[in-house]
Amino acid sequence: MPSLFKHSAQVPLPENIGVSCKATPLLTSAMAQDTAGFEQLHEGVQRWIWEQGWSQLRPIQAMAIAPILSGQTDLIISAATAGGKTEAAFLPIFSRLLQAPASGIRVLGISPLKALINDQQRRLSELGDRLDIPVTPWHGDVAAGPKQAILKNPAGIVLITPESLEALLARRGAELPTLFGHLDYMVIDEMHCFIGSERGCQLQSLMHRVEVALGRTFAHKIPRIGLSATLGDMSLAAKFLRPGNAEQVQFISPTGSGTDLKVQVRGYRKAIADWATLETGAMDASRDELEISQHLFKTLRGSRNLIFMNGRASVEKYADLLNRLCAQHQVPNEFWPHHGSLSKELREDAEALLKSDRPSNLVCTTTLEMGIDVGAVVSVAQVGAPMSVASMRQRIGRSGRRAGDPAIARFYISVPDIGENIGERTGEDLPPQDGLYPELVQAIAILNLLLTGWCEPPLMGKLHLSTLIQQVLSLIVQEGGVRADRAWQILCQTGPFQAVNQEMFIRLLRDLGQQELIQQSQDGSLLIGVKGDRLVRHYSFYSAFATPQEYRILQDGKFLGTLPIEIPLTQNARFIFAGKRWIALAVDDQERVVEVAPTGAGKLPKFSGGSAQVHDRVRQEMYRLYRSDEVPSFLDAPAQHLLQEARTQFTEHGLHQRALLAWGKQTLLFCWQGDRVMNTLLVQLQARGLKACREGLAIAVHQITPEDLWTHLGDLVDEGPADAVALAATVVNQRIEKHDVFLSEPLRCLNYAASHLDPQAAWESLKEIVDGS
């Protein structure tokens, strides 16, 4: 498989940018661009293309025409951000709708984000209006009027979220043949972000339920088209798109020379002592945060850029710091926050600024990682270590979109301040794993893997029992009652829950019955129970993931966004939100509304939300980097020095030749595996009565010597791979997903084991450690 990025000859670089690389496609196709494809498009579509001033179609657009026009092909179109995937799918789709007119909704375009739907609707309506084919957005922010209009006169293309499609199936079950009787395509945008998740399993089930409701489950299945900029394993992507028939899925990826990539990793030291004064409000940021903000201000002001953070609190902090730097220098503010807790209006205002000619920079989270059109940005910045190669590819792909422009990425990584003279420090106050500067080395490892073309494959094999509960209840509501054997056949035998056998499904139904979520009628049909009725009537039922309770933040009646209810907000509380500082004038806990006014001081709120899992390959690349003496050319001078410090610490602790390290009254285990394997080892050690916990790169086992822990590791190797379900039974909190609370202990253990444990890989890791001693 060709590399996504591979090194090319050095070229003259802009100031402060380190290395130049050349992008090449993840997967190539032998098909050349065929001008005959253009001739197959409807005349109205051809005319629109001419009016856009396009000299030719992009290769993926030409290659997609024939399979999509056939109306019989499941297809995955994979290309970089702004690579023309949307047009590749919808130019032939519009043509087919014109060539074979029929009543009803003809296309379901399913997207993970409301903002992405709004953006797609704007783009597609330019052509749809010309061809008299309506393009209708459908999600929680869309008013009732357009929805009622499409229900009364179903037609054209509907762009919808999985949650809104869930609600449509449950509430309009009897109307589905009328609404979708001539459905031609289901298009999944940003497909990579669905694969392996609860929401992705929900989407698979929804697409299958649509086909079942229309009687199109065998020879006349509805073609599915997946669009994605990031795919780690094409075969797994095909299994996601069409479970049970992945071998029939076709792939299209671009050919060509690609885009120049210019990267720099900048290193900073955290000023640990500053954090105590930060909490008192005497200081607003630590030394490294001020230095990073100053460099962002100096380097990015006057142009258009994206500044990615790993969390919403960081977005608020840096947006506030950059805003105040603008004020200090008496220049207009050019830095705006963008994250999921801000109101739709504030996010769209920020996006409009970035698409305008005005210099502007958005400090953002994953909200701008996907394909929302924000115009051509000069560069992207990443503050903190990226968590995955897939995410980093998406972010870097937001720049370099204009022909001839390079993609430019800057990484800002802070490490603990342990002093300049490593050899002279006692190190008693800093755990060894922190002295390895894992954020810096993880950033380098992810960039190295990105340059080789590798990308994380999705985690497959999960049972998704929480989502199966939702789908059982939704199917009952949709059909007004369903027999158990039919429900298993739709959802499990032919649907996405194929890892759930009949015995397991019956146990799940019994659990739901005992919880009064379902009941059984005299004819054997499953019906919604008393407690189930309350559950399915609540708006939150339609999402496969838990939705936190939140305050609504209002200024003079204007909605600014939301904050988690866990954040203690009282009258006169001061906090930072939407890049500004506010004081709470009034707090209505019953209505969950906070009225605010601008003020001069404020603290950062703590947002909920976890981080992504780190893959085995990333940790293994980190281990290789610690043992190596290579210095990547994309590191600035401080980052080079910090990498050498990390390697010195690694060697001084002897981690190049041992996995166990005594530290005070605890022993640290370094296995250099991903989070799933580390979680499995942690559970195994805890199951043996050891006081173990995760501490960064290591598993810390308290009150034990390395010799005694070594005995335990040897025993685990001798016992062979653990039984995953038995191991899961030792975990205190197995309730991870939204509806896990309704599962009995045996099913929770099965579910947890499939999702969070990998005993075989954990055993192999331990065996390598023990055998290599």
Side-chain angles (χ1 to χ4, degrees), residues 42-81:
H42 187 274
E43 180 182 349
V45 177
Q46 292 179 357
R47 185 178 298 109
W48 181 84
I49 293 173
W50 291 330
E51 291 174 357
Q52 305 312 301
W54 296 2
S55 59
Q56 61 182 8
L57 295 176
R58 296 187 182 189
I60 62 168
Q61 295 166 349
M63 289 188 285
I65 292 172
I68 292 178
L69 283 179
S70 73
Q72 299 176 349
T73 305
D74 291 331
L75 185 66
I76 293 175
I77 304 174
S78 176
T81 303

Side-chain angles (χ1 to χ4, degrees), residues 44 47-48 51-52 124-133:
R47 185 178 298 109
W48 181 84
E51 291 174 357
Q52 305 312 301
L124 294 177
S125 288
E126 293 178 8
L127 178 55
D129 291 347
R130 171 74 62 85
L131 304 176
D132 198 26
I133 296 176

